[in-house]
Amino acid sequence: MNRLKDKVAIITGGAGGIGSATAERFIAEGATVIIADLFEDRAKEVAARLGPQAVPMFFDAGDDDSVKAAIDETAKRFGRLDILFNNAAVTDVRVQAMDTTPTDIPLDVWDKTMEVNVRGVMIGCRFAIPHILKQGGGSIINTASDSGLAGDNVRLAYGTSKAAVIAMTKYVAVQYGRQGIRCNAIAPGVIMTAQMKKLPVLAEAIFRHVVTPRLGLPEDIAALAAFLAADESAYITGQTICCDGGHLAHQPQLADMIDLEAKGAGDHV
Ligand SMILES: NC(=O)c1ccc[n+]([C@@H]2O[C@H](COP(=O)([O-])OP(=O)(O)OC[C@H]3O[C@@H](n4cnc5c(N)ncnc54)[C@H](O)[C@@H]3O)[C@@H](O)[C@H]2O)c1
């Protein structure tokens, strides 16, 4: 398919698992893609693998000047901006390990999570929208998470930040819809990036609550992002689409019920 022919896209967190898979997919669909990441070396590695339609760029979602510079540079260099995939987030496991509960979380962990995951998305929209409007519209896609749709025993800041992204998605969709900008969010469940593969115990625990035969892959998110970026999804905006193997689609006790049935208690449940 060539649904993104001649489009210019920025993918933030583009050097990561989901970002790089999405860059690969967008390029396969005909787009030029800016791999915008805090770790420029990794962005360069990804771009070298993906070829000349991939352009590495330093980008810090937590720094307004850096966000503006990357977006303005893209528009100047390519003469347009069609797609912004706000995908960067604090995913460092050492930081996430400190992201606990209101009584325990270090406040700097809360602040950093909000700065990158929420303010970073807003600032990305702030500087990209004027460019996107110049060619009559485009598509903004935000990476949310299942964690923004249900509570958990840990990751208070992360979940709260992703809930904010889900709300912001609706506001941007409403505020710029008539001018041709669509804004949607993707809420991944557990996606088996290289980092997640290092946590097999977590993957095993989550798999009990997924109804598909396998856990998610970065390519699953990339396929959905390509659809939301393309004109094919022209009548979809303001939505958050879960890509989570049905993780949030069922009764919370499903896994326990399946275990009970396996133990022969099926007639009683
Ligand atoms: N993998 C999952 O299971 C999962 C589940 C739900 C949501 N998500 C979301 O998907 C998105 C991508 O995550 P991933 O799994 O690919 O993780 P990842 O760690 O592989 O990728 C994240 C990328 O973001 C970059 N980044 C971090 N802070 C940044 C900043 N301030 N500015 C610019 N870039 C920055 C990192 O360098 C990295 O390349 C994130 O928004 C994450 O919250 C992932």
Side-chain angles (χ1 to χ4, degrees):
M1 280 191 279
N2 217 11
R3 296 176 296 183
L4 305 180
K5 190 171 179 305
D6 299 330
K7 307 267 191 208
V8 175
I10 296 177
I11 300 182
T12 77
I18 288 173
S20 60
T22 306
E24 186 166 358
R25 180 63 189 253
F26 280 13
I27 287 170
E29 298 263 8
T32 296
V33 178
I34 314 306
I35 316 283
D37 205 284
L38 191 57
F39 294 98
E40 203 175 2
D41 288 354
R42 289 188 213 158
K44 282 182 181 161
E45 282 169 27
V46 170
R49 180 168 58 81
L50 298 184
Q53 277 173 266
V55 180
M57 206 174 276
F58 171 76
F59 172 98
D60 180 359
D63 176 49
D64 299 2
D65 292 341
S66 148
V67 174
K68 185 175 186 329
I71 290 172
D72 287 353
E73 162 70 13
T74 301
K76 192 172 154 206
R77 199 150 146 194
F78 298 99
R80 59 188 298 130
L81 177 62
D82 304 275
I83 300 153
L84 173 65
F85 185 20
N86 279 312
N87 172 68
V90 176
T91 55
D92 186 321
V93 285
R94 286 160 304 181
V95 180
Q96 289 207 343
M98 291 186 277
D99 180 0
T100 51
T101 60
T103 48
D104 287 333
I105 184 173
L107 291 179
D108 59 338
V109 169
W110 173 273
D111 290 344
K112 187 70 190 164
T113 304
M114 293 301 153
E115 180 183 88
V116 173
N117 297 14
V118 184
R119 194 169 194 276
V121 172
M122 187 276 287
I123 292 291
C125 292
R126 182 183 186 89
F127 294 126
I129 284 170
H131 292 297
I132 298 176
L133 288 176
K134 279 186 197 149
Q135 79 260 334
S139 177
I140 297 174
I141 304 154
N142 300 323
T143 307
S145 170
D146 270 9
S147 304
L149 291 160
D152 209 339
N153 58 333
V154 286
R155 285 185 294 281
L156 171 79
Y158 180 81
T160 305
S161 75
K162 293 300 188 178
V165 168
I166 290 167
M168 201 188 320
T169 297
K170 294 180 198 173
Y171 276 81
V172 172
V174 169
Q175 292 170 350
Y176 296 94
R178 280 280 203 251
Q179 295 172 78
I181 295 181
R182 294 184 297 111
C183 185
N184 292 290
I186 297 172
V190 161
I191 300 295
M192 297 308 285
T193 56
Q195 185 163 297
M196 288 304 300
K197 282 184 186 157
K198 291 181 196 154
L199 305 167
V201 175
L202 177 64
E204 196 182 318
I206 296 286
F207 188 62
R208 277 169 49 76
H209 301 276
V210 164
V211 302
T212 47
R214 63 161 174 82
L215 284 167
L217 301 172
E219 291 73 19
D220 294 316
I221 305 300
L224 178 53
F227 169 67
L228 291 173
D231 292 343
E232 205 173 22
S233 58
Y235 203 46
I236 300 175
T237 194
Q239 304 305 306
T240 294
I241 301 174
C242 290
C243 187
D244 67 353
H247 184 208
L248 294 188
H250 57 72
Q251 299 292 345
Q253 70 276 18
L254 178 69
D256 299 327
M257 289 303 187
I258 290 171
D259 284 352
L260 280 177
E261 279 180 28
K263 285 180 192 154
D267 292 346
H268 306 289
V269 294

